Amino acid sequence: LRRLLRKFKDVEGQLTSSDWFSQHSGSIEDFWKVYCGKCLAARKRIREGHPKDAAQAAALRIQQQQEMEKQHKNSAKIFETGQLFVTLVDCIKLGNTTVDELFPILNDIVSNLRKGFAGFELLPKLEVWYSRMEAMHPSDTLQERDSRELAFDLVRANEAFRRFLQEAGKGDGASTPSSP
């Protein structure tokens, strides 16, 4: 049955491009109406193909859609993480060095990196800052030296994150290392 369906599709393609057929019959649909009007199930089978082929095509479409959604989510996570790095560095440079201002942003950075970028080399360094700030009281303020060191580590981590993404994109042809 599959072989016959493939053969029909080939012949149908040739006929639709043929001037002779269009002059004598109009279109394939006109031909079906005139000569095969009572064969609705057969026409449906020819349109849809073999049930296994149709099921495989549907499964492939679903898989492709899921891949696109996964890439979209991962791209959004990458964008968000880069944005958070910049925001946290800007907070420190503007003199906002209280834990209650910095910790939520650092928490989001560490969380994003843990979920989707576990191989990121500077994640342990950021986790140390995360642990230090988690142990502090929300109203505590980072000392000048600590805030400069955190800003320096964040700039380095942001650059390393960019390199990490570039290397991941070169390695497997994709633009993202892993799904979040």
Side-chain angles (χ1 to χ4, degrees):
L1 181 63
R2 285 185 186 179
R3 186 170 37 108
L4 290 173
L5 287 171
R6 267 187 255 128
K7 191 169 190 166
F8 176 82
K9 293 283 185 185
D10 291 341
V11 171
E12 182 182 31
Q14 293 170 359
L15 285 175
T16 54
S17 64
S18 149
D19 291 334
W20 179 86
F21 186 77
S22 60
Q23 290 172 358
H24 289 85
S25 296
S27 69
I28 295 291
E29 290 301 321
D30 294 338
F31 177 83
W32 274 95
K33 288 175 186 172
V34 172
Y35 296 104
C36 308
K38 296 181 182 179
C39 304
L40 298 177
R43 181 62 183 146
K44 182 180 177 189
R45 173 62 57 92
I46 289 171
R47 279 188 188 143
E48 295 176 2
H50 194 275
K52 285 186 180 178
D53 293 340
Q56 289 172 349
L60 181 62
R61 279 192 304 273
I62 290 170
Q63 182 182 6
Q64 288 171 340
Q65 184 177 2
Q66 289 172 341
E67 281 294 317
M68 286 177 54
E69 289 172 2
K70 184 174 160 184
Q71 287 177 339
H72 175 72
K73 287 179 183 177
N74 207 21
S75 296
K77 206 49 97 172
I78 290 169
F79 178 75
E80 179 186 357
T81 304
Q83 203 173 26
L84 289 169
F85 272 118
V86 172
T87 301
L88 190 54
V89 170
D90 286 348
C91 279
I92 294 169
K93 287 183 179 180
L94 291 172
N96 301 330
T97 57
T98 59
V99 173
D100 64 340
E101 293 172 330
L102 301 178
F103 184 75
I105 303 169
L106 182 61
N107 180 40
D108 290 344
I109 291 172
V110 171
S111 176
N112 286 351
L113 292 173
R114 284 177 181 164
K115 287 179 185 173
F117 311 99
F120 179 58
E121 65 191 68
L122 290 179
L123 178 59
K125 185 116 178 141
L126 294 175
E127 287 174 332
V128 168
W129 279 107
Y130 176 86
S131 298
R132 280 179 64 185
M133 291 177 81
E134 189 176 40
M136 297 172 78
H137 193 273
S139 62
D140 288 346
T141 302
L142 292 179
Q143 299 298 321
E144 175 68 24
R145 180 180 178 169
D146 289 339
S147 63
R148 290 182 69 151
E149 187 179 334
L150 176 58
F152 179 74
D153 287 344
L154 288 167
V155 169
R156 283 185 46 222
N158 191 21
E159 289 301 316
F161 185 62
R162 288 182 189 170
R163 283 192 310 274
F164 176 77
L165 294 173
Q166 288 172 346
E167 291 300 316
K170 289 178 188 176
D172 60 3
S175 61
T176 55
S178 66
S179 63

mmCIF file of all heavy atoms in Angstrom, residues 131-176:
data_model
loop_
_atom_site.group_PDB
_atom_site.id
_atom_site.type_symbol
_atom_site.label_atom_id
_atom_site.label_comp_id
_atom_site.label_asym_id
_atom_site.label_seq_id
_atom_site.Cartn_x
_atom_site.Cartn_y
_atom_site.Cartn_z
ATOM 1 N N SER A 131 26.760 31.999 49.248
ATOM 2 C CA SER A 131 26.790 31.480 50.618
ATOM 3 C C SER A 131 27.123 32.575 51.625
ATOM 4 O O SER A 131 26.509 32.649 52.708
ATOM 5 C CB SER A 131 27.806 30.348 50.752
ATOM 6 O OG SER A 131 27.443 29.283 49.917
ATOM 7 N N ARG A 132 28.100 33.421 51.269
ATOM 8 C CA ARG A 132 28.475 34.512 52.174
ATOM 9 C C ARG A 132 27.307 35.460 52.406
ATOM 10 O O ARG A 132 27.019 35.846 53.538
ATOM 11 C CB ARG A 132 29.649 35.307 51.592
ATOM 12 C CG ARG A 132 30.993 34.653 51.809
ATOM 13 C CD ARG A 132 32.110 35.449 51.210
ATOM 14 N NE ARG A 132 32.271 36.764 51.833
ATOM 15 C CZ ARG A 132 33.139 37.676 51.409
ATOM 16 N NH1 ARG A 132 33.900 37.417 50.361
ATOM 17 N NH2 ARG A 132 33.232 38.843 52.030
ATOM 18 N N MET A 133 26.630 35.830 51.332
ATOM 19 C CA MET A 133 25.533 36.792 51.455
ATOM 20 C C MET A 133 24.309 36.156 52.108
ATOM 21 O O MET A 133 23.550 36.834 52.794
ATOM 22 C CB MET A 133 25.186 37.375 50.087
ATOM 23 C CG MET A 133 26.299 38.274 49.551
ATOM 24 S SD MET A 133 25.957 38.894 47.928
ATOM 25 C CE MET A 133 24.885 40.243 48.346
ATOM 26 N N GLU A 134 24.134 34.857 51.879
ATOM 27 C CA GLU A 134 23.006 34.164 52.500
ATOM 28 C C GLU A 134 23.153 34.141 54.018
ATOM 29 O O GLU A 134 22.160 34.206 54.748
ATOM 30 C CB GLU A 134 22.912 32.741 51.937
ATOM 31 C CG GLU A 134 21.666 32.000 52.330
ATOM 32 C CD GLU A 134 21.583 30.635 51.670
ATOM 33 O OE1 GLU A 134 22.625 29.951 51.574
ATOM 34 O OE2 GLU A 134 20.479 30.271 51.259
ATOM 35 N N ALA A 135 24.384 34.078 54.488
ATOM 36 C CA ALA A 135 24.645 34.040 55.926
ATOM 37 C C ALA A 135 24.531 35.422 56.579
ATOM 38 O O ALA A 135 24.424 35.527 57.799
ATOM 39 C CB ALA A 135 26.040 33.467 56.186
ATOM 40 N N MET A 136 24.520 36.468 55.765
ATOM 41 C CA MET A 136 24.461 37.830 56.301
ATOM 42 C C MET A 136 23.015 38.250 56.558
ATOM 43 O O MET A 136 22.081 37.662 56.030
ATOM 44 C CB MET A 136 25.113 38.810 55.310
ATOM 45 C CG MET A 136 26.599 38.551 55.085
ATOM 46 S SD MET A 136 27.287 39.553 53.755
ATOM 47 C CE MET A 136 27.458 41.115 54.577
ATOM 48 N N HIS A 137 22.865 39.270 57.361
ATOM 49 C CA HIS A 137 21.546 39.853 57.642
ATOM 50 C C HIS A 137 21.171 40.760 56.462
ATOM 51 O O HIS A 137 22.041 41.407 55.876
ATOM 52 C CB HIS A 137 21.626 40.663 58.945
ATOM 53 C CG HIS A 137 20.294 41.034 59.467
ATOM 54 N ND1 HIS A 137 19.654 42.179 59.066
ATOM 55 C CD2 HIS A 137 19.453 40.407 60.342
ATOM 56 C CE1 HIS A 137 18.489 42.254 59.670
ATOM 57 N NE2 HIS A 137 18.343 41.188 60.452
ATOM 58 N N PRO A 138 19.879 40.829 56.084
ATOM 59 C CA PRO A 138 19.471 41.644 54.931
ATOM 60 C C PRO A 138 19.893 43.117 55.001
ATOM 61 O O PRO A 138 20.143 43.737 53.974
ATOM 62 C CB PRO A 138 17.948 41.530 54.917
ATOM 63 C CG PRO A 138 17.658 40.261 55.616
ATOM 64 C CD PRO A 138 18.744 40.088 56.630
ATOM 65 N N SER A 139 19.998 43.661 56.196
ATOM 66 C CA SER A 139 20.372 45.074 56.313
ATOM 67 C C SER A 139 21.879 45.288 56.316
ATOM 68 O O SER A 139 22.342 46.433 56.299
ATOM 69 C CB SER A 139 19.761 45.678 57.569
ATOM 70 O OG SER A 139 20.264 45.027 58.714
ATOM 71 N N ASP A 140 22.659 44.209 56.319
ATOM 72 C CA ASP A 140 24.116 44.335 56.296
ATOM 73 C C ASP A 140 24.572 44.933 54.967
ATOM 74 O O ASP A 140 23.944 44.748 53.930
ATOM 75 C CB ASP A 140 24.791 42.975 56.480
ATOM 76 C CG ASP A 140 24.660 42.447 57.896
ATOM 77 O OD1 ASP A 140 24.290 43.233 58.790
ATOM 78 O OD2 ASP A 140 24.918 41.242 58.104
ATOM 79 N N THR A 141 25.681 45.640 55.044
ATOM 80 C CA THR A 141 26.256 46.276 53.856
ATOM 81 C C THR A 141 27.631 45.664 53.601
ATOM 82 O O THR A 141 28.404 45.442 54.543
ATOM 83 C CB THR A 141 26.412 47.796 54.082
ATOM 84 O OG1 THR A 141 25.129 48.338 54.392
ATOM 85 C CG2 THR A 141 26.959 48.478 52.857
ATOM 86 N N LEU A 142 27.927 45.429 52.332
ATOM 87 C CA LEU A 142 29.254 44.929 51.981
ATOM 88 C C LEU A 142 30.273 46.035 52.183
ATOM 89 O O LEU A 142 30.010 47.209 51.895
ATOM 90 C CB LEU A 142 29.297 44.479 50.515
ATOM 91 C CG LEU A 142 28.484 43.251 50.121
ATOM 92 C CD1 LEU A 142 28.649 42.980 48.631
ATOM 93 C CD2 LEU A 142 28.906 42.028 50.916
ATOM 94 N N GLN A 143 31.428 45.657 52.691
ATOM 95 C CA GLN A 143 32.527 46.615 52.830
ATOM 96 C C GLN A 143 33.008 47.015 51.434
ATOM 97 O O GLN A 143 32.756 46.315 50.450
ATOM 98 C CB GLN A 143 33.684 45.974 53.627
ATOM 99 C CG GLN A 143 33.320 45.551 55.032
ATOM 100 C CD GLN A 143 32.905 46.733 55.885
ATOM 101 O OE1 GLN A 143 33.477 47.814 55.792
ATOM 102 N NE2 GLN A 143 31.886 46.542 56.721
ATOM 103 N N GLU A 144 33.701 48.132 51.364
ATOM 104 C CA GLU A 144 34.209 48.640 50.069
ATOM 105 C C GLU A 144 35.047 47.572 49.360
ATOM 106 O O GLU A 144 34.884 47.340 48.168
ATOM 107 C CB GLU A 144 35.038 49.915 50.322
ATOM 108 C CG GLU A 144 35.721 50.472 49.085
ATOM 109 C CD GLU A 144 34.749 51.025 48.048
ATOM 110 O OE1 GLU A 144 33.618 51.395 48.413
ATOM 111 O OE2 GLU A 144 35.124 51.074 46.862
ATOM 112 N N ARG A 145 35.919 46.944 50.106
ATOM 113 C CA ARG A 145 36.791 45.922 49.510
ATOM 114 C C ARG A 145 35.969 44.749 48.975
ATOM 115 O O ARG A 145 36.210 44.259 47.874
ATOM 116 C CB ARG A 145 37.784 45.440 50.560
ATOM 117 C CG ARG A 145 38.708 44.390 50.052
ATOM 118 C CD ARG A 145 39.679 43.946 51.103
ATOM 119 N NE ARG A 145 40.513 42.898 50.550
ATOM 120 C CZ ARG A 145 41.588 42.433 51.128
ATOM 121 N NH1 ARG A 145 41.974 42.941 52.284
ATOM 122 N NH2 ARG A 145 42.277 41.481 50.571
ATOM 123 N N ASP A 146 34.975 44.282 49.764
ATOM 124 C CA ASP A 146 34.131 43.159 49.332
ATOM 125 C C ASP A 146 33.294 43.520 48.109
ATOM 126 O O ASP A 146 33.148 42.711 47.195
ATOM 127 C CB ASP A 146 33.210 42.718 50.471
ATOM 128 C CG ASP A 146 33.959 42.025 51.594
ATOM 129 O OD1 ASP A 146 35.079 41.521 51.343
ATOM 130 O OD2 ASP A 146 33.425 41.976 52.719
ATOM 131 N N SER A 147 32.755 44.737 48.095
ATOM 132 C CA SER A 147 31.929 45.121 46.951
ATOM 133 C C SER A 147 32.771 45.229 45.677
ATOM 134 O O SER A 147 32.325 44.840 44.602
ATOM 135 C CB SER A 147 31.183 46.421 47.230
ATOM 136 O OG SER A 147 32.061 47.485 47.431
ATOM 137 N N ARG A 148 33.990 45.745 45.787
ATOM 138 C CA ARG A 148 34.874 45.815 44.606
ATOM 139 C C ARG A 148 35.265 44.421 44.143
ATOM 140 O O ARG A 148 35.318 44.141 42.946
ATOM 141 C CB ARG A 148 36.106 46.644 44.936
ATOM 142 C CG ARG A 148 35.772 48.134 45.098
ATOM 143 C CD ARG A 148 36.996 48.913 45.382
ATOM 144 N NE ARG A 148 37.826 48.919 44.165
ATOM 145 C CZ ARG A 148 38.644 49.891 43.857
ATOM 146 N NH1 ARG A 148 38.756 50.936 44.654
ATOM 147 N NH2 ARG A 148 39.355 49.837 42.761
ATOM 148 N N GLU A 149 35.537 43.540 45.099
ATOM 149 C CA GLU A 149 35.898 42.159 44.751
ATOM 150 C C GLU A 149 34.722 41.440 44.084
ATOM 151 O O GLU A 149 34.898 40.726 43.098
ATOM 152 C CB GLU A 149 36.337 41.414 46.014
ATOM 153 C CG GLU A 149 36.895 40.038 45.737
ATOM 154 C CD GLU A 149 37.353 39.343 47.013
ATOM 155 O OE1 GLU A 149 37.703 40.024 47.996
ATOM 156 O OE2 GLU A 149 37.343 38.091 47.010
ATOM 157 N N LEU A 150 33.511 41.637 44.611
ATOM 158 C CA LEU A 150 32.317 41.032 44.012
ATOM 159 C C LEU A 150 32.096 41.569 42.597
ATOM 160 O O LEU A 150 31.826 40.798 41.674
ATOM 161 C CB LEU A 150 31.080 41.286 44.874
ATOM 162 C CG LEU A 150 29.743 40.788 44.310
ATOM 163 C CD1 LEU A 150 29.766 39.289 44.039
ATOM 164 C CD2 LEU A 150 28.596 41.153 45.249
ATOM 165 N N ALA A 151 32.242 42.871 42.413
ATOM 166 C CA ALA A 151 32.077 43.458 41.079
ATOM 167 C C ALA A 151 33.100 42.876 40.109
ATOM 168 O O ALA A 151 32.771 42.523 38.965
ATOM 169 C CB ALA A 151 32.194 44.979 41.144
ATOM 170 N N PHE A 152 34.345 42.760 40.570
ATOM 171 C CA PHE A 152 35.396 42.174 39.736
ATOM 172 C C PHE A 152 35.062 40.729 39.365
ATOM 173 O O PHE A 152 35.187 40.331 38.208
ATOM 174 C CB PHE A 152 36.738 42.257 40.475
ATOM 175 C CG PHE A 152 37.880 41.670 39.722
ATOM 176 C CD1 PHE A 152 38.431 42.337 38.636
ATOM 177 C CD2 PHE A 152 38.412 40.438 40.091
ATOM 178 C CE1 PHE A 152 39.496 41.789 37.931
ATOM 179 C CE2 PHE A 152 39.467 39.883 39.393
ATOM 180 C CZ PHE A 152 40.013 40.554 38.298
ATOM 181 N N ASP A 153 34.641 39.949 40.347
ATOM 182 C CA ASP A 153 34.281 38.550 40.086
ATOM 183 C C ASP A 153 33.087 38.452 39.132
ATOM 184 O O ASP A 153 33.026 37.547 38.281
ATOM 185 C CB ASP A 153 33.959 37.821 41.395
ATOM 186 C CG ASP A 153 35.198 37.544 42.229
ATOM 187 O OD1 ASP A 153 36.325 37.627 41.685
ATOM 188 O OD2 ASP A 153 35.037 37.254 43.431
ATOM 189 N N LEU A 154 32.139 39.362 39.243
ATOM 190 C CA LEU A 154 30.974 39.353 38.356
ATOM 191 C C LEU A 154 31.349 39.693 36.916
ATOM 192 O O LEU A 154 30.854 39.070 35.969
ATOM 193 C CB LEU A 154 29.898 40.314 38.863
ATOM 194 C CG LEU A 154 29.152 39.856 40.111
ATOM 195 C CD1 LEU A 154 28.347 41.008 40.698
ATOM 196 C CD2 LEU A 154 28.250 38.678 39.787
ATOM 197 N N VAL A 155 32.232 40.664 36.747
ATOM 198 C CA VAL A 155 32.678 41.017 35.393
ATOM 199 C C VAL A 155 33.420 39.839 34.781
ATOM 200 O O VAL A 155 33.202 39.487 33.615
ATOM 201 C CB VAL A 155 33.551 42.298 35.428
ATOM 202 C CG1 VAL A 155 34.229 42.525 34.090
ATOM 203 C CG2 VAL A 155 32.700 43.490 35.810
ATOM 204 N N ARG A 156 34.303 39.229 35.564
ATOM 205 C CA ARG A 156 35.022 38.039 35.071
ATOM 206 C C ARG A 156 34.051 36.907 34.742
ATOM 207 O O ARG A 156 34.189 36.228 33.729
ATOM 208 C CB ARG A 156 36.037 37.559 36.128
ATOM 209 C CG ARG A 156 37.282 38.386 36.179
ATOM 210 C CD ARG A 156 38.340 37.838 37.132
ATOM 211 N NE ARG A 156 38.522 36.398 36.981
ATOM 212 C CZ ARG A 156 38.660 35.556 38.018
ATOM 213 N NH1 ARG A 156 38.625 35.997 39.249
ATOM 214 N NH2 ARG A 156 38.842 34.283 37.803
ATOM 215 N N ALA A 157 33.061 36.699 35.603
ATOM 216 C CA ALA A 157 32.089 35.628 35.379
ATOM 217 C C ALA A 157 31.246 35.907 34.136
ATOM 218 O O ALA A 157 30.943 34.986 33.366
ATOM 219 C CB ALA A 157 31.185 35.472 36.605
ATOM 220 N N ASN A 158 30.882 37.162 33.922
ATOM 221 C CA ASN A 158 30.105 37.509 32.731
ATOM 222 C C ASN A 158 30.905 37.227 31.460
ATOM 223 O O ASN A 158 30.370 36.669 30.496
ATOM 224 C CB ASN A 158 29.678 38.980 32.790
ATOM 225 C CG ASN A 158 28.663 39.335 31.731
ATOM 226 O OD1 ASN A 158 27.975 38.473 31.199
ATOM 227 N ND2 ASN A 158 28.577 40.608 31.416
ATOM 228 N N GLU A 159 32.167 37.617 31.453
ATOM 229 C CA GLU A 159 33.020 37.336 30.291
ATOM 230 C C GLU A 159 33.210 35.823 30.102
ATOM 231 O O GLU A 159 33.175 35.321 28.987
ATOM 232 C CB GLU A 159 34.377 38.030 30.443
ATOM 233 C CG GLU A 159 34.303 39.525 30.304
ATOM 234 C CD GLU A 159 33.742 39.955 28.958
ATOM 235 O OE1 GLU A 159 34.134 39.382 27.932
ATOM 236 O OE2 GLU A 159 32.895 40.873 28.950
ATOM 237 N N ALA A 160 33.408 35.111 31.185
ATOM 238 C CA ALA A 160 33.564 33.657 31.105
ATOM 239 C C ALA A 160 32.274 33.000 30.607
ATOM 240 O O ALA A 160 32.313 32.015 29.862
ATOM 241 C CB ALA A 160 33.961 33.088 32.464
ATOM 242 N N PHE A 161 31.140 33.554 31.005
ATOM 243 C CA PHE A 161 29.843 33.040 30.551
ATOM 244 C C PHE A 161 29.712 33.209 29.044
ATOM 245 O O PHE A 161 29.271 32.294 28.336
ATOM 246 C CB PHE A 161 28.717 33.765 31.293
ATOM 247 C CG PHE A 161 27.339 33.244 31.005
ATOM 248 C CD1 PHE A 161 26.989 31.940 31.313
ATOM 249 C CD2 PHE A 161 26.378 34.065 30.435
ATOM 250 C CE1 PHE A 161 25.709 31.458 31.051
ATOM 251 C CE2 PHE A 161 25.106 33.601 30.177
ATOM 252 C CZ PHE A 161 24.770 32.290 30.483
ATOM 253 N N ARG A 162 30.105 34.357 28.539
ATOM 254 C CA ARG A 162 30.078 34.569 27.086
ATOM 255 C C ARG A 162 30.981 33.572 26.364
ATOM 256 O O ARG A 162 30.590 33.000 25.347
ATOM 257 C CB ARG A 162 30.512 35.991 26.747
ATOM 258 C CG ARG A 162 29.495 37.025 27.105
ATOM 259 C CD ARG A 162 29.972 38.383 26.695
ATOM 260 N NE ARG A 162 29.087 39.402 27.223
ATOM 261 C CZ ARG A 162 29.346 40.688 27.202
ATOM 262 N NH1 ARG A 162 30.464 41.124 26.679
ATOM 263 N NH2 ARG A 162 28.485 41.550 27.695
ATOM 264 N N ARG A 163 32.193 33.389 26.877
ATOM 265 C CA ARG A 163 33.116 32.417 26.257
ATOM 266 C C ARG A 163 32.542 31.000 26.328
ATOM 267 O O ARG A 163 32.642 30.230 25.374
ATOM 268 C CB ARG A 163 34.480 32.470 26.941
ATOM 269 C CG ARG A 163 35.324 33.649 26.538
ATOM 270 C CD ARG A 163 36.774 33.506 27.013
ATOM 271 N NE ARG A 163 36.900 33.172 28.421
ATOM 272 C CZ ARG A 163 36.920 34.056 29.418
ATOM 273 N NH1 ARG A 163 36.831 35.340 29.167
ATOM 274 N NH2 ARG A 163 37.041 33.662 30.667
ATOM 275 N N PHE A 164 31.941 30.675 27.463
ATOM 276 C CA PHE A 164 31.321 29.361 27.659
ATOM 277 C C PHE A 164 30.247 29.114 26.603
ATOM 278 O O PHE A 164 30.187 28.047 26.001
ATOM 279 C CB PHE A 164 30.729 29.294 29.068
ATOM 280 C CG PHE A 164 29.966 28.040 29.386
ATOM 281 C CD1 PHE A 164 30.621 26.858 29.667
ATOM 282 C CD2 PHE A 164 28.576 28.053 29.410
ATOM 283 C CE1 PHE A 164 29.920 25.704 29.968
ATOM 284 C CE2 PHE A 164 27.862 26.908 29.713
ATOM 285 C CZ PHE A 164 28.533 25.730 29.987
ATOM 286 N N LEU A 165 29.419 30.110 26.358
ATOM 287 C CA LEU A 165 28.356 29.975 25.357
ATOM 288 C C LEU A 165 28.937 29.863 23.947
ATOM 289 O O LEU A 165 28.446 29.076 23.133
ATOM 290 C CB LEU A 165 27.384 31.149 25.443
ATOM 291 C CG LEU A 165 26.575 31.230 26.734
ATOM 292 C CD1 LEU A 165 25.772 32.524 26.766
ATOM 293 C CD2 LEU A 165 25.661 30.031 26.876
ATOM 294 N N GLN A 166 29.972 30.634 23.661
ATOM 295 C CA GLN A 166 30.604 30.562 22.346
ATOM 296 C C GLN A 166 31.230 29.190 22.113
ATOM 297 O O GLN A 166 31.091 28.615 21.042
ATOM 298 C CB GLN A 166 31.659 31.649 22.190
ATOM 299 C CG GLN A 166 31.060 33.034 22.047
ATOM 300 C CD GLN A 166 32.107 34.137 22.093
ATOM 301 O OE1 GLN A 166 33.262 33.904 22.486
ATOM 302 N NE2 GLN A 166 31.707 35.334 21.717
ATOM 303 N N GLU A 167 31.910 28.672 23.109
ATOM 304 C CA GLU A 167 32.530 27.346 22.982
ATOM 305 C C GLU A 167 31.473 26.259 22.831
ATOM 306 O O GLU A 167 31.650 25.325 22.070
ATOM 307 C CB GLU A 167 33.438 27.052 24.181
ATOM 308 C CG GLU A 167 34.682 27.901 24.217
ATOM 309 C CD GLU A 167 35.559 27.705 22.989
ATOM 310 O OE1 GLU A 167 35.766 26.551 22.561
ATOM 311 O OE2 GLU A 167 36.030 28.732 22.453
ATOM 312 N N ALA A 168 30.393 26.374 23.579
ATOM 313 C CA ALA A 168 29.315 25.387 23.479
ATOM 314 C C ALA A 168 28.696 25.433 22.094
ATOM 315 O O ALA A 168 28.337 24.401 21.530
ATOM 316 C CB ALA A 168 28.249 25.644 24.545
ATOM 317 N N GLY A 169 28.578 26.625 21.511
ATOM 318 C CA GLY A 169 28.020 26.771 20.170
ATOM 319 C C GLY A 169 28.932 26.203 19.109
ATOM 320 O O GLY A 169 28.485 25.643 18.118
ATOM 321 N N LYS A 170 30.243 26.307 19.295
ATOM 322 C CA LYS A 170 31.203 25.759 18.330
ATOM 323 C C LYS A 170 31.252 24.239 18.399
ATOM 324 O O LYS A 170 31.399 23.572 17.397
ATOM 325 C CB LYS A 170 32.610 26.297 18.598
ATOM 326 C CG LYS A 170 32.773 27.742 18.250
ATOM 327 C CD LYS A 170 34.189 28.179 18.607
ATOM 328 C CE LYS A 170 34.344 29.679 18.452
ATOM 329 N NZ LYS A 170 35.677 30.093 18.894
ATOM 330 N N GLY A 171 31.126 23.708 19.598
ATOM 331 C CA GLY A 171 31.288 22.263 19.799
ATOM 332 C C GLY A 171 30.241 21.407 19.140
ATOM 333 O O GLY A 171 30.524 20.394 18.529
ATOM 334 N N ASP A 172 28.952 21.796 19.218
ATOM 335 C CA ASP A 172 27.910 20.920 18.692
ATOM 336 C C ASP A 172 27.052 21.585 17.629
ATOM 337 O O ASP A 172 26.020 21.059 17.246
ATOM 338 C CB ASP A 172 27.027 20.414 19.828
ATOM 339 C CG ASP A 172 26.334 21.530 20.601
ATOM 340 O OD1 ASP A 172 26.482 22.705 20.241
ATOM 341 O OD2 ASP A 172 25.652 21.211 21.571
ATOM 342 N N GLY A 173 27.446 22.768 17.164
ATOM 343 C CA GLY A 173 26.683 23.440 16.134
ATOM 344 C C GLY A 173 25.458 24.156 16.663
ATOM 345 O O GLY A 173 24.749 24.802 15.940
ATOM 346 N N ALA A 174 25.185 24.037 17.940
ATOM 347 C CA ALA A 174 24.023 24.702 18.531
ATOM 348 C C ALA A 174 24.483 25.993 19.175
ATOM 349 O O ALA A 174 25.657 26.218 19.398
ATOM 350 C CB ALA A 174 23.353 23.807 19.566
ATOM 351 N N SER A 175 23.531 26.834 19.523
ATOM 352 C CA SER A 175 23.877 28.096 20.135
ATOM 353 C C SER A 175 23.772 28.031 21.652
ATOM 354 O O SER A 175 24.060 29.000 22.318
ATOM 355 C CB SER A 175 22.955 29.202 19.612
ATOM 356 O OG SER A 175 21.636 28.908 19.947
ATOM 357 N N THR A 176 23.380 26.904 22.188
ATOM 358 C CA THR A 176 23.202 26.799 23.634
ATOM 359 C C THR A 176 23.779 25.485 24.138
ATOM 360 O O THR A 176 23.752 24.464 23.450
ATOM 361 C CB THR A 176 21.716 26.857 23.998
ATOM 362 O OG1 THR A 176 21.011 25.849 23.286
ATOM 363 C CG2 THR A 176 21.128 28.212 23.651
#
